[in-house]
Coordinates of all heavy atoms in Angstrom, one line a residue:
P1 N 0.8 -1.2 0.0 CA 0.0 0.0 0.0 C 0.8 1.3 0.0 O 0.4 2.3 -0.6 CB -0.8 -0.1 1.3 CG -0.9 -1.6 1.5 CD 0.4 -2.2 1.1
S2 N 2.0 1.3 0.6 CA 2.8 2.5 0.7 C 3.3 3.0 -0.6 O 3.4 4.2 -0.8 CB 4.0 2.2 1.6 OG 4.8 1.2 1.1
V3 N 3.5 2.1 -1.6 CA 4.0 2.6 -2.9 C 2.9 3.2 -3.7 O 3.2 3.9 -4.7 CB 4.7 1.5 -3.7 CG1 5.8 0.8 -2.9 CG2 3.7 0.4 -4.2
M4 N 1.6 3.0 -3.3 CA 0.5 3.5 -4.1 C 0.0 4.9 -3.6 O -0.9 5.4 -4.1 CB -0.6 2.5 -4.2 CG -0.3 1.2 -4.9 SD -1.7 0.1 -5.0 CE -1.6 -0.7 -3.4
E5 N 0.6 5.3 -2.5 CA 0.2 6.6 -1.9 C 0.6 7.7 -2.9 O 1.6 7.7 -3.5 CB 0.9 6.8 -0.6 CG 0.5 5.8 0.5 CD 1.2 6.0 1.8 OE1 2.2 6.8 1.8 OE2 0.9 5.3 2.8
H6 N -0.3 8.7 -2.9 CA -0.1 9.8 -3.9 C 0.7 11.0 -3.3 O 0.1 12.0 -2.9 CB -1.5 10.3 -4.4 CG -1.4 11.1 -5.7 ND1 -2.5 11.3 -6.5 CD2 -0.3 11.6 -6.4 CE1 -2.1 12.0 -7.6 NE2 -0.8 12.2 -7.5
N7 N 2.0 10.7 -3.1 CA 2.9 11.8 -2.6 C 3.6 12.4 -3.8 O 4.0 11.8 -4.7 CB 3.9 11.1 -1.7 CG 3.2 10.4 -0.5 OD1 2.3 11.0 0.1 ND2 3.7 9.2 -0.1
T8 N 3.8 13.7 -3.7 CA 4.5 14.5 -4.7 C 5.7 15.3 -4.1 O 5.7 15.6 -2.9 CB 3.6 15.4 -5.5 OG1 3.2 16.5 -4.6 CG2 2.3 14.7 -5.9
I9 N 6.6 15.7 -5.0 CA 7.7 16.5 -4.5 C 7.5 18.0 -4.7 O 8.2 18.8 -4.3 CB 9.1 16.1 -5.2 CG1 9.0 16.4 -6.7 CG2 9.4 14.7 -4.9 CD1 10.4 16.1 -7.4
D10 N 6.4 18.3 -5.5 CA 6.1 19.7 -5.8 C 4.7 20.1 -5.5 O 4.3 21.2 -5.8 CB 6.4 20.0 -7.3 CG 5.6 19.0 -8.2 OD1 4.8 18.3 -7.7 OD2 5.9 19.1 -9.4
G11 N 3.9 19.2 -4.9 CA 2.5 19.5 -4.6 C 1.5 19.5 -5.8 O 0.3 19.8 -5.6
E12 N 2.0 19.2 -6.9 CA 1.1 19.2 -8.2 C 0.5 17.8 -8.3 O 0.8 17.1 -9.2 CB 2.0 19.6 -9.4 CG 2.6 21.0 -9.3 CD 1.6 22.0 -9.6 OE1 0.4 21.7 -10.0 OE2 1.9 23.2 -9.5
S13 N -0.5 17.5 -7.5 CA -1.1 16.2 -7.5 C -2.0 15.9 -8.8 O -2.2 14.8 -9.1 CB -2.0 16.0 -6.3 OG -3.0 16.9 -6.2
L14 N -2.4 17.0 -9.5 CA -3.2 16.8 -10.7 C -2.4 16.6 -12.0 O -3.0 16.4 -13.0 CB -4.2 17.9 -10.8 CG -5.2 18.2 -9.7 CD1 -6.1 19.3 -10.0 CD2 -6.0 16.9 -9.4
R15 N -1.1 16.7 -11.9 CA -0.2 16.6 -13.0 C 0.1 15.2 -13.3 O 0.4 14.4 -12.4 CB 1.1 17.4 -12.8 CG 0.9 18.9 -12.5 CD 0.3 19.6 -13.7 NE 1.3 19.7 -14.8 CZ 2.2 20.6 -15.0 NH1 2.3 21.6 -14.0 NH2 3.0 20.6 -16.0
A16 N 0.1 14.9 -14.6 CA 0.3 13.5 -15.1 C 1.6 12.9 -14.6 O 1.7 11.7 -14.4 CB 0.1 13.4 -16.6
Y17 N 2.7 13.7 -14.6 CA 4.0 13.1 -14.2 C 4.1 12.7 -12.8 O 5.0 12.0 -12.4 CB 5.1 14.1 -14.5 CG 5.0 15.5 -13.8 CD1 5.5 15.5 -12.4 CD2 4.5 16.6 -14.3 CE1 5.4 16.7 -11.7 CE2 4.5 17.8 -13.6 CZ 4.9 17.9 -12.4 OH 4.9 19.1 -11.7
N18 N 3.1 13.1 -11.9 CA 3.0 12.7 -10.5 C 2.1 11.5 -10.2 O 1.9 11.2 -9.0 CB 2.6 13.9 -9.7 CG 3.8 14.8 -9.3 OD1 4.9 14.3 -9.1 ND2 3.5 16.1 -9.3
V19 N 1.6 10.9 -11.2 CA 0.7 9.7 -11.0 C 1.4 8.6 -10.2 O 2.6 8.3 -10.6 CB 0.1 9.1 -12.3 CG1 -0.6 7.8 -12.0 CG2 -0.8 10.1 -12.9
P20 N 0.8 8.1 -9.1 CA 1.5 7.1 -8.3 C 1.4 5.7 -9.0 O 0.5 5.5 -9.8 CB 0.8 7.1 -7.0 CG -0.6 7.5 -7.3 CD -0.4 8.5 -8.5
P21 N 2.2 4.7 -8.6 CA 2.1 3.4 -9.2 C 0.8 2.7 -8.8 O 0.2 3.1 -7.8 CB 3.3 2.6 -8.5 CG 4.3 3.7 -8.1 CD 3.4 4.9 -7.8
D22 N 0.4 1.8 -9.6 CA -0.9 1.1 -9.4 C -0.8 -0.3 -10.2 O -0.5 -0.3 -11.4 CB -2.0 1.9 -10.0 CG -3.4 1.3 -9.8 OD1 -3.5 0.1 -9.4 OD2 -4.4 2.0 -10.1
P23 N -1.0 -1.4 -9.5 CA -1.0 -2.7 -10.2 C -2.0 -2.8 -11.3 O -1.8 -3.6 -12.2 CB -1.3 -3.7 -9.1 CG -0.9 -3.0 -7.8 CD -1.2 -1.6 -8.1
L24 N -3.0 -1.9 -11.3 CA -4.1 -1.9 -12.3 C -4.1 -0.5 -12.9 O -5.2 0.0 -13.1 CB -5.4 -2.3 -11.7 CG -5.6 -3.8 -11.4 CD1 -6.8 -4.0 -10.5 CD2 -5.7 -4.6 -12.6
L25 N -2.9 0.0 -13.2 CA -2.9 1.4 -13.8 C -3.5 1.3 -15.2 O -3.1 0.6 -16.0 CB -1.4 1.8 -13.9 CG -1.2 3.2 -14.5 CD1 -1.6 4.3 -13.5 CD2 0.3 3.4 -14.8
Y26 N -4.5 2.2 -15.4 CA -5.1 2.3 -16.7 C -4.9 3.7 -17.3 O -5.2 4.7 -16.7 CB -6.6 2.1 -16.6 CG -7.4 2.3 -17.9 CD1 -6.9 1.6 -19.1 CD2 -8.5 3.1 -18.0 CE1 -7.6 1.8 -20.3 CE2 -9.2 3.3 -19.2 CZ -8.7 2.6 -20.3 OH -9.4 2.8 -21.6
A27 N -4.3 3.7 -18.5 CA -4.1 5.0 -19.3 C -3.4 6.0 -18.4 O -3.7 7.2 -18.5 CB -5.4 5.5 -19.8
F28 N -2.5 5.6 -17.6 CA -1.7 6.5 -16.7 C -2.6 7.3 -15.8 O -2.2 8.4 -15.3 CB -0.8 7.4 -17.5 CG 0.0 6.7 -18.6 CD1 -0.2 7.0 -19.9 CD2 0.9 5.7 -18.2 CE1 0.5 6.3 -20.9 CE2 1.6 5.0 -19.2 CZ 1.4 5.3 -20.6
R29 N -3.9 6.8 -15.6 CA -4.9 7.5 -14.8 C -5.0 9.0 -15.2 O -5.3 9.9 -14.4 CB -4.6 7.4 -13.3 CG -5.8 7.2 -12.5 CD -5.5 7.0 -11.0 NE -5.6 8.3 -10.3 CZ -5.1 8.5 -9.1 NH1 -4.4 7.5 -8.5 NH2 -5.3 9.6 -8.5
T30 N -4.8 9.3 -16.5 CA -4.8 10.6 -17.0 C -5.9 10.9 -18.0 O -5.9 10.1 -19.0 CB -3.4 11.0 -17.5 OG1 -2.5 10.8 -16.5 CG2 -3.4 12.4 -18.0
L31 N -6.7 11.9 -17.9 CA -7.6 12.3 -18.9 C -6.9 13.2 -19.8 O -6.3 14.3 -19.3 CB -8.8 13.0 -18.3 CG -10.1 12.1 -18.0 CD1 -11.1 13.0 -17.3 CD2 -10.6 11.5 -19.3
S32 N -6.9 13.0 -21.1 CA -6.2 13.8 -22.1 C -7.2 14.4 -23.0 O -7.8 13.7 -23.8 CB -5.1 13.0 -22.9 OG -4.4 13.9 -23.7
F33 N -7.4 15.7 -22.9 CA -8.4 16.5 -23.7 C -7.6 17.1 -24.9 O -6.6 17.7 -24.7 CB -9.1 17.6 -22.9 CG -10.0 17.0 -21.9 CD1 -9.5 16.9 -20.6 CD2 -11.3 16.7 -22.2 CE1 -10.4 16.4 -19.6 CE2 -12.2 16.2 -21.2 CZ -11.7 16.0 -19.9
Q34 N -8.1 16.9 -26.1 CA -7.5 17.5 -27.3 C -8.4 18.7 -27.7 O -9.6 18.6 -27.9 CB -7.5 16.5 -28.5 CG -6.6 15.3 -28.2 CD -7.3 14.2 -27.4 OE1 -8.4 13.8 -27.7 NE2 -6.6 13.7 -26.4
L35 N -7.8 19.9 -27.6 CA -8.5 21.2 -27.9 C -7.9 21.8 -29.2 O -6.7 21.8 -29.4 CB -8.3 22.2 -26.8 CG -8.5 21.6 -25.3 CD1 -8.1 22.7 -24.3 CD2 -9.9 21.1 -25.1
G36 N -8.8 22.4 -30.0 CA -8.3 23.1 -31.2 C -9.5 23.8 -31.9 O -10.7 23.4 -31.7
K37 N -9.1 24.8 -32.6 CA -10.1 25.6 -33.4 C -10.6 24.7 -34.5 O -9.9 24.0 -35.2 CB -9.4 26.8 -34.0 CG -10.4 27.7 -34.8 CD -9.7 28.9 -35.4 CE -10.7 29.8 -36.2 NZ -11.2 29.1 -37.4
S38 N -12.0 24.7 -34.7 CA -12.6 23.9 -35.7 C -12.2 24.3 -37.1 O -12.0 25.5 -37.3 CB -14.1 24.0 -35.6 OG -14.8 23.3 -36.6
R39 N -12.0 23.4 -38.0 CA -11.6 23.7 -39.3 C -12.8 24.3 -40.2 O -12.6 24.9 -41.2 CB -11.1 22.5 -40.0 CG -9.8 21.9 -39.4 CD -9.3 20.7 -40.2 NE -8.1 20.2 -39.7 CZ -7.4 19.1 -40.2 NH1 -8.0 18.5 -41.2 NH2 -6.3 18.7 -39.6
T40 N -14.0 24.0 -39.7 CA -15.2 24.4 -40.5 C -15.9 25.6 -39.9 O -16.8 26.2 -40.6 CB -16.1 23.2 -40.6 OG1 -16.5 22.8 -39.3 CG2 -15.5 22.1 -41.3

C-alpha cells in the first residue's frame, strides 16, 4: 500500500507526471483532452 500513496515533491497532484504506481494502472490515470479551433 505504501508505494501507491499519492505523494509528490512539488504539490502538483493533478499533473500526469506525478501519478503514483498502481498494479491496475489504466491509461496513466490521466484524462487527455484535445483542444483546437474547428476547421469548419
Side-chain angles (χ1 to χ4, degrees):
S2 60
V3 304
M4 295 183 279
E5 293 176 358
H6 201 164
N7 301 317
T8 70
I9 64 173
D10 57 5
E12 296 284 353
S13 60
L14 299 184
R15 301 293 292 275
Y17 62 79
N18 274 326
V19 171
D22 180 351
L24 287 167
L25 182 71
Y26 176 52
F28 313 118
R29 216 177 100 196
T30 300
L31 268 176
S32 182
F33 293 93
Q34 297 82 48
L35 315 176
K37 181 180 179 297
S38 174
R39 294 181 180 180
T40 58

